[in-house]
């Protein structure tokens, strides 16, 4: 510390703003300690959120008087030796009481912080804003960030004034931009403060104003009659208070140097804060709420910014000569398994039990790194196929593993020379022969020069992982702007031979308009040879189908059983609750039917070079979008766990633009798969519905499709009898799941967690859409 005038401490759950603008000259020169609180001034304590000290021998040694801190080495040693349990407490009580025993120091307790403690606060009703200055050069470099919110008086529409301000208002405001003008000043005279212990009739042993600090320190900390708009001073053994005034800015805006996530952090999941971790070029800031972070996007697009944003955010690990090193892969953390957080028990929220990262070499093996083919990838024109494969107790049989790998290989071959990212999760120990089988399968693919990247996650636990976490890993590792994801290999689905060509064609036609989403239909048939009457299929094999033979088979066989409701052709692995094996989700069936209508008409018109009824099909597409939006609106008194959205069985196969429809939008930062929604039938259409709500253009991709037949499905799951036996033996262990298990990680009372997450995800998207609409045209 010898080169510094001051030192201090803070918490991790803080969003810092413009700290230098708020620290006044007297705080640096006149006081030994300065601490910033959020208005609970009747508690005379040094806040863990932000407290700084003069770097003097006196101030630097004060903490030693608190035995909880000074004896910390002894406590750890005794705990390590098994002589004592390690006891934790907030040192705010002990340390604060110790400094108040001194008579030769000066302390200032200022109200200069926001928090989310009070639900009636405008942070809840209007949001907490983080504005980034226009002189910012990028995340991690010098910039000005200001924390602000709507003022207390939000009657008569005053609260909406904040929407009319640019997030960079502080750069042009005469007061804020003038560093010689203090933003908070004390007024009037100082008066002495009475502690509760000094009041007549008060038993010091019964005083308590800080529930988180030990009782023994309360009597020295709890004060009487100190208001939130008063600054507290401790000067040479005497406590004073003095009223302060804080500047209110145009638009009824108030600002402080930081915001403390005291309550919201209990609910937050990493997906809700993604945009904070990856700010894009030109972003103006964020609005924070209980539901997460909403980026403030510039409404005037810039072609240059879009290009930079694409290269930097979407393909940031493709830069340089070596394009596939682990260190260049995404830094994000992914949650494979969740359960109810045990402490604190309230609120009931999820806790991640198993985290994985691309950077974790002990858990994630990079089997194939893409090879030389990845050096020639066109970020904007090529399309990546993101695949996942789960191997657990019910699929660890050698024959089933071989079938799943064959299915995976067929998808790789069908995709051709376009890039592929495959993430495999192995639950538990693998036999040597299974391990050898996996390695030989993909090394053979490498020899055929496929642009294939394969990551293998090996978990010690035999419990099934979240497929949505694996999907997020695969999508975020993709080296291109456009990514196809959602294909369930475990359902025996194989993508069509020309799918990658149709995807590239769609990108060529629509790539200049960011924010495109194309639905690729998925079909199932009951006949192995109805599409291609080959010897391989007759002998129990399978292969990818082409669009021409698919259309021709449909023409030749009017009675051909072909369905997009995939569960109707799958065997009953175990009885579903209430005997709802193939429970008909009317909303899902309606959406699938409309997708089918559009796809068949567009595809036939495309292949025959004929015209189609553009107006009629556009109306159906709008109906699809509306139906997806309606999934986000729960019906009257309907819990999330019983909604059409939750029970959506089909996992949409989507071609998605990783650039959003508005400048600065990065798709996966706004809409990821929710990893806590683990299960084969668990909010599968949520991401697609959210994309529609965020303003993405929802289309149907003609020509491309995925298909399963009896042979491919048998290869994926083995015999139905074997699956039934496995489920009966392991149904309660979490090692075996079926579609009937729904969101299997949260059941019974814990299903409240599903409701809470679903509510937050609905509200986050709705608030963002409304906010962006309100801000449209306000700032550039």
């Amino acid at each position: 510390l010898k080169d510094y005038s001051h030192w201090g401490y803070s918490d991790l759950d803080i969003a810092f703003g413009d700290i230098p603008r708020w620290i006044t000259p007297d705080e640096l020169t006149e006081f030994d300690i300065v601490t910033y609180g959020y208005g609970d001034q009747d508690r005379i304590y040094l806040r863990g959120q932000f407290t700084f000290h003069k770097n003097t021998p006196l101030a630097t040694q004060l903490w030693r008087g608190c035995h909880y801190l000074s004896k910390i080495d002894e406590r750890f040693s005794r705990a390590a030796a098994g002589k004592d349990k390690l006891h934790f407490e907030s040192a705010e009580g002990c340390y604060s009481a110790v400094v108040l025993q001194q008579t030769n120091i000066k302390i200032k307790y200022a109200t200069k912080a926001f928090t989310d403690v009070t639900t009636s606060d405008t942070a809840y009703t209007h949001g907490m804003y983080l504005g980034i200055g226009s002189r910012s050069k990028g995340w991690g470099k010098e910039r000005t960030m200001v924390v602000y919110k709507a003022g207390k008086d939000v009657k008569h529409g005053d609260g909406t004034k904040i929407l009319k301000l640019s997030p960079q208002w502080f750069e042009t405001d005469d007061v804020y931009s003038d560093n010689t003008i203090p933003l908070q000043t004390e007024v009037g005279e100082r008066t002495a403060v009475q502690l509760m212990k000094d009041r007549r009739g008060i038993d010091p042993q019964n005083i308590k104003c800080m529930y988180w600090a030990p009782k023994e320190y309360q009597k020295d900390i709890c004060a009487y009659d100190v208001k939130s708009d008063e600054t507290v001073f401790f000067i040479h053994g005497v406590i004073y208070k003095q009223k302060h005034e804080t500047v209110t800015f145009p638009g009824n805006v108030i600002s402080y140097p930081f915001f403390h996530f005291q309550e919201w952090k209990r609910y937050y999941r990493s997906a809700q804060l993604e945009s904070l971790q990856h700010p894009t070029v030109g972003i103006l800031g964020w609005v924070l709420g209980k539901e997460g972070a909403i980026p403030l996007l510039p409404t005037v697009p810039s072609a240059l910014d879009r290009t930079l944003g694409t290269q930097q955010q979407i393909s940031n690990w493709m830069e340089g000569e070596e394009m596939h090193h682990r260190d260049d892969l995404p830094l994000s953390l992914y949650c494979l398994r969740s359960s109810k957080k045990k402490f604190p028990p309230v609120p009931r929220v999820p806790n991640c039990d198993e985290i994985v990262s691309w950077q974790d070499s002990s858990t994630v093996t990079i089997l194939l790194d893409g090879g030389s083919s990845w050096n020639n990838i066109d970020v904007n024109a090529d399309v990546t196929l993101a695949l996942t494969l789960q191997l657990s107790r019910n699929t660890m049989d050698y024959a089933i593993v071989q079938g799943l790998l064959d299915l995976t290989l067929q998808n790789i071959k069908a995709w051709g020379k376009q890039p592929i990212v495959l993430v495999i999760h192995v639950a538990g120990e693998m036999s040597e022969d299974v391990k050898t089988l996996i390695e030989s399968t993909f090394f053979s693919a490498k020899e055929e020069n496929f642009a294939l990247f394969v990551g293998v996650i090996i978990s010690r636990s035999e419990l099934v992982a979240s497929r949505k976490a694996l999907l997020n890993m695969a999508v975020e590792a993709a080296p291109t702007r456009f990514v196809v994801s959602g294909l369930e290999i475990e359902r025996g689905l194989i993508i069509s031979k020309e799918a990658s060509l149709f995807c590239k064609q769609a990108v060529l036609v629509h790539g200049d308009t960011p924010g495109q989403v194309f639905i690729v239909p998925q079909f199932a048939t009951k006949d192995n040879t109805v599409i291609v009457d080959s010897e391989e299929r007759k002998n129990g094999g399978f292969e990818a189908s082409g669009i021409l033979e698919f259309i021709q088979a449909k023409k030749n066989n009017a009675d051909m059983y072909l369905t997009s409701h995939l569960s109707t052709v799958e065997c009953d692995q175990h009885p579903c609750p209430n005997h709802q094996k193939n429970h008909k989700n009317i909303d899902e069936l309606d959406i699938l039917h409309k997708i089918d209508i559009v796809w068949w008409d567009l595809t036939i018109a495309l292949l025959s070079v004929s015209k189609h009824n553009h107006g009629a099909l556009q109306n159906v597409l709008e109906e699809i979008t509306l139906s997806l939006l309606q999934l986000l609106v729960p019906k009257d008194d309907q819990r999330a766990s019983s909604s059409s959205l939750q029970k959506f069985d089909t996992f949409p196969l989507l071609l998605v633009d990783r650039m959003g429809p508005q400048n600065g939008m990065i798709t996966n930062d706004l809409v990821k798969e929710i990893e806590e929604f683990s299960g084969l039938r668990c909010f599968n259409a949520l991401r697609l519905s959210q994309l529609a709500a965020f303003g993405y253009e929802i289309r149907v991709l003609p020509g491309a499709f995925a298909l399963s037949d009896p042979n491919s499905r048998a290869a994926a799951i083995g015999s139905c009898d074997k699956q039934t036996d496995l489920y009966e033996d392991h149904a309660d262990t979490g090692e075996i799941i079926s579609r009937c298990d729904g969101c299997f990680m949260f059941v019974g009372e814990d299903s409240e967690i599903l409701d809470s997450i679903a509510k937050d995800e609905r509200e986050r998207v709705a608030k963002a859409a409304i906010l962006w609409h309100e801000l449209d045209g306000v700032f550039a």
Side-chain angles (χ1 to χ4, degrees):
L1 297 176
K2 62 186 179 72
D3 295 328
Y4 294 88
S5 64
H6 290 75
W7 62 273
Y9 53 78
S10 179
D11 282 344
L12 295 175
D13 52 350
I14 300 290
F16 279 111
D18 192 2
I19 291 285
R21 185 65 182 88
W22 286 88
I23 296 178
T24 56
D26 69 300
E27 292 174 352
L28 294 174
T29 58
E30 294 184 22
F31 297 96
D32 298 284
I33 305 175
V34 177
T35 187
Y36 290 173
Y38 62 85
D40 55 339
Q41 297 295 82
D42 55 342
R43 300 163 175 163
I44 316 297
Y45 71 102
L46 302 179
R47 274 69 175 175
Q49 291 79 44
F50 188 72
T51 296
F52 60 95
H53 307 63
K54 265 187 182 178
N55 190 13
T56 62
L58 173 63
T60 302
Q61 298 300 317
L62 286 171
W63 65 274
R64 295 187 182 277
C66 170
H67 287 179
Y68 180 77
L69 296 175
S70 60
K71 304 290 185 181
I72 191 169
D73 292 343
E74 294 179 18
R75 291 189 295 110
F76 273 106
S77 297
R78 291 182 63 81
K83 297 179 181 178
D84 245 333
K85 287 186 177 180
L86 195 58
H87 171 66
F88 290 97
E89 67 180 53
S90 170
E92 286 178 332
C94 176
Y95 186 37
S96 300
V98 164
V99 298
L100 288 173
Q101 307 306 314
Q102 311 303 311
T103 58
N104 57 345
I105 62 172
K106 297 171 69 176
I107 306 174
K108 180 179 180 180
Y109 304 80
T111 299
K112 294 185 180 181
F114 291 130
T115 186
D116 55 8
V117 169
T118 307
T119 57
S120 60
D121 190 90
T122 56
Y124 280 84
T125 56
H126 295 70
M128 183 63 62
Y129 285 68
L130 304 181
I132 302 178
S134 61
R135 289 183 288 273
S136 304
K137 301 299 181 184
W139 194 252
K141 300 178 181 179
E142 272 193 51
R143 69 202 188 284
T144 299
M145 182 178 289
V146 173
V147 180
Y148 64 99
K149 67 172 185 174
K152 294 180 181 179
D153 185 12
V154 292
K155 297 179 180 178
H156 310 298
D158 282 354
T160 62
K161 291 180 180 179
I162 196 170
L163 296 174
K164 296 178 174 58
L165 286 179
S166 162
Q168 296 154 355
W169 58 267
F170 46 87
E171 294 186 335
T172 56
D173 181 77
D174 292 339
V175 174
Y176 198 102
S177 60
D178 186 347
N179 289 330
T180 65
I181 302 176
L183 301 182
Q184 186 180 95
T185 53
E186 280 70 44
V187 296
E189 59 182 290
R190 294 179 183 175
T191 58
V193 171
Q194 186 180 28
L195 293 177
M196 292 295 294
K197 68 178 182 179
D198 297 326
R199 287 180 57 76
R200 182 179 299 178
I202 300 295
D203 183 354
Q205 300 305 315
N206 293 329
I207 295 174
K208 191 166 188 178
C209 61
M210 293 173 62
Y211 65 87
W212 62 93
K215 185 178 180 180
E216 61 192 281
Y217 307 117
Q218 304 282 330
K219 64 182 185 300
D220 298 316
I221 293 172
C222 302
Y224 174 72
D225 193 28
V226 183
K227 305 293 192 300
S228 62
D229 62 352
E230 292 176 320
T231 301
V232 174
F233 301 92
F234 178 71
I235 301 176
H236 300 151
V238 181
I239 303 174
Y240 299 92
K241 64 180 180 179
Q242 186 177 9
K243 188 176 179 59
H244 66 253
E245 293 180 350
T246 305
V247 174
T248 298
F249 299 99
N252 191 35
V253 162
I254 56 176
S255 178
Y256 276 142
F258 66 85
F259 172 69
H260 180 207
F261 296 89
Q262 197 159 334
E263 294 298 325
W264 294 348
K265 66 185 179 187
R266 306 177 193 273
Y267 299 89
Y268 279 158
R269 295 163 286 108
S270 60
Q272 295 169 276
L273 304 175
E274 281 291 326
S275 64
L276 280 171
Q277 300 177 51
H278 311 119
T280 55
V281 176
I283 196 169
L284 302 178
W286 298 267
V287 178
L288 306 176
K290 176 180 172 292
E291 302 82 11
I294 300 172
L296 293 170
L297 308 171
T299 56
V300 177
S302 163
L304 176 63
D305 282 354
R306 283 192 177 282
T307 302
L308 291 173
T310 303
Q311 298 291 344
Q312 179 182 351
Q313 298 300 327
I314 295 174
S315 193
N316 60 342
W317 69 283
M318 286 286 293
E319 297 174 359
E321 295 181 3
E322 299 295 333
M323 296 190 178
H324 34 258
H325 286 174
R326 184 188 295 272
D327 291 344
D328 297 322
L329 284 163
L331 301 176
S332 300
L333 301 177
Y334 307 94
C335 184
L336 297 181
R337 291 187 300 109
S338 301
S339 63
K340 182 180 76 69
K341 192 172 185 178
K342 294 180 175 59
F343 185 83
V346 178
R348 195 183 292 269
V349 293
N351 180 71
C352 187
D353 299 328
E354 185 176 358
I355 297 174
V356 71
S357 164
W358 281 114
Q359 308 304 315
D360 183 2
S361 59
S362 65
T363 304
V364 182
T365 299
I366 297 178
L367 196 61
L368 292 179
D369 61 10
S372 59
S373 300
W374 280 46
N375 294 334
N376 302 315
I377 288 173
D378 187 324
V379 172
N380 290 299
D382 288 333
V383 181
T384 300
L385 176 62
L387 296 173
T388 67
L389 180 62
Q390 291 181 277
L391 301 179
S392 58
R393 182 183 289 273
N394 62 326
T395 56
M396 208 66 82
D397 177 87
Y398 185 89
I400 298 178
V401 172
Q402 187 171 36
L404 286 168
L405 293 177
D406 287 345
L407 281 166
T408 305
L409 202 54
Q410 286 295 332
N411 277 290
I412 292 170
K413 290 178 178 178
W415 196 248
K417 302 304 180 181
Q418 288 289 289
I420 301 170
V421 175
L422 169 63
V423 177
I424 303 173
H425 178 258
V426 180
E429 295 292 329
M430 271 191 302
S431 62
E432 283 300 317
D433 58 344
V434 168
K435 182 178 180 182
T436 302
L437 177 62
I438 293 174
E439 291 175 347
S440 62
T441 298
F442 295 114
F443 286 139
S444 68
K446 180 181 180 181
E447 292 174 359
E448 296 185 47
N449 204 31
F450 290 110
L452 178 61
F453 183 98
V454 181
V456 181
I457 305 166
I458 302 177
S459 294
R460 294 179 181 178
S461 169
E462 294 187 343
L463 300 179
V464 177
S466 166
R467 178 173 181 262
K468 293 180 173 68
L470 306 181
L471 273 172
N472 285 336
M473 287 189 74
V475 168
E476 292 186 356
T480 57
R481 171 181 157 189
F482 288 89
V483 181
V484 172
S485 66
L487 184 79
E488 289 190 80
I489 295 173
E490 295 84 353
R491 293 190 103 160
L493 289 161
I494 305 175
I495 203 159
S496 56
K497 292 177 183 177
E498 307 90 352
S500 64
L501 297 177
F502 286 115
C503 287
K504 287 202 69 171
Q505 183 183 47
V507 169
L508 180 66
V509 173
H510 299 283
D512 289 339
T513 307
Q516 302 292 317
V517 176
F518 294 87
I519 302 172
V520 179
Q522 303 170 85
F523 301 107
T525 179
K526 290 184 177 180
D527 192 326
N528 286 315
T529 60
V530 70
I531 308 299
V532 180
D533 189 9
S534 66
E535 287 301 315
E536 183 173 2
R537 287 179 185 257
K538 288 178 180 178
N539 294 327
F542 44 83
E543 58 188 295
S545 299
I547 183 60
L548 292 177
E549 56 200 17
F550 185 59
I551 296 292
Q552 192 62 46
K554 180 69 173 173
K555 279 185 177 180
N556 294 342
N557 189 348
D559 297 327
M560 180 176 77
Y561 185 88
L562 192 68
T563 180
S564 54
H565 190 208
L566 304 179
S567 63
T568 59
V569 298
E570 295 169 342
C571 63
D572 185 3
Q573 296 178 25
H574 76 287
C576 290
N578 302 321
H579 308 287
Q580 295 178 2
K581 175 200 168 202
N582 292 320
H583 169 71
K584 292 185 177 180
N585 185 335
I586 302 302
D587 294 325
E588 177 181 0
L589 292 176
D590 177 62
I591 292 172
L592 294 177
H593 176 65
K594 290 171 181 173
I595 292 171
D596 289 353
I597 290 174
V598 175
W599 186 82
W600 282 105
D601 282 0
L602 287 176
T603 299
I604 291 173
L606 177 69
L607 296 178
S608 61
V609 198
S610 61
K611 294 183 178 180
H612 59 271
N613 190 333
H614 178 78
L617 291 183
Q618 185 61 38
N619 289 338
V620 179
L621 283 173
E622 291 175 0
E623 290 176 10
I624 292 173
T625 300
L626 180 59
S627 296
L628 290 169
L629 293 174
Q630 288 174 339
L631 287 178
L632 294 173
V633 182
K635 297 176 182 177
D636 294 342
D637 301 323
Q638 188 181 59
R639 292 168 60 94
S641 55
S642 63
S643 68
S644 296
L645 182 62
Q646 190 273 341
K647 295 183 180 297
F648 206 97
D649 178 76
T650 304
F651 206 106
L653 180 57
L654 304 175
L655 167 61
V656 177
D657 187 351
R658 296 169 73 182
M659 290 171 59
Q662 292 191 50
N663 192 32
M665 287 176 67
I666 298 298
T667 302
N668 237 44
D669 286 350
L670 291 172
V671 191
K672 299 180 70 166
E673 296 290 352
I674 305 303
E675 296 167 3
E676 292 79 5
F677 286 161
S678 309
L680 302 178
R681 183 189 291 160
C682 182
F683 293 92
N684 287 344
L686 175 61
R687 182 169 182 251
L688 178 55
S689 297
Q690 289 180 312
L691 288 169
F694 274 126
Y696 285 70
E697 183 76 20
I698 307 300
R699 301 175 180 271
V700 175
L701 182 63
F705 64 96
L707 178 71
S708 77
D709 60 28
N711 284 352
S712 66
R713 292 192 293 274
I717 65 172
S719 70
C720 293
D721 290 341
K722 184 169 184 178
Q723 287 297 304
T724 300
D725 293 340
L726 276 169
Y727 186 84
E728 289 175 351
D729 292 340
H730 302 280
D732 298 326
T733 66
E735 300 169 13
I736 302 291
I737 62 167
S738 83
R739 308 200 81 79
C740 299
D741 291 313
C743 305
F744 68 93
M745 290 187 183
F746 299 103
V747 296
E749 291 183 353
D750 292 347
S751 64
E752 292 179 11
I753 295 173
L754 300 177
D755 297 329
S756 177
I757 296 175
K759 182 174 181 289
D760 282 347
E761 286 301 313
R762 287 174 170 126
E763 292 183 357
R764 180 174 65 88
V765 174
K767 286 186 176 182
I770 293 171
L771 178 67
W772 292 336
H773 177 75
E774 292 288 339
L775 293 177
D776 187 26
V778 172
F779 47 83

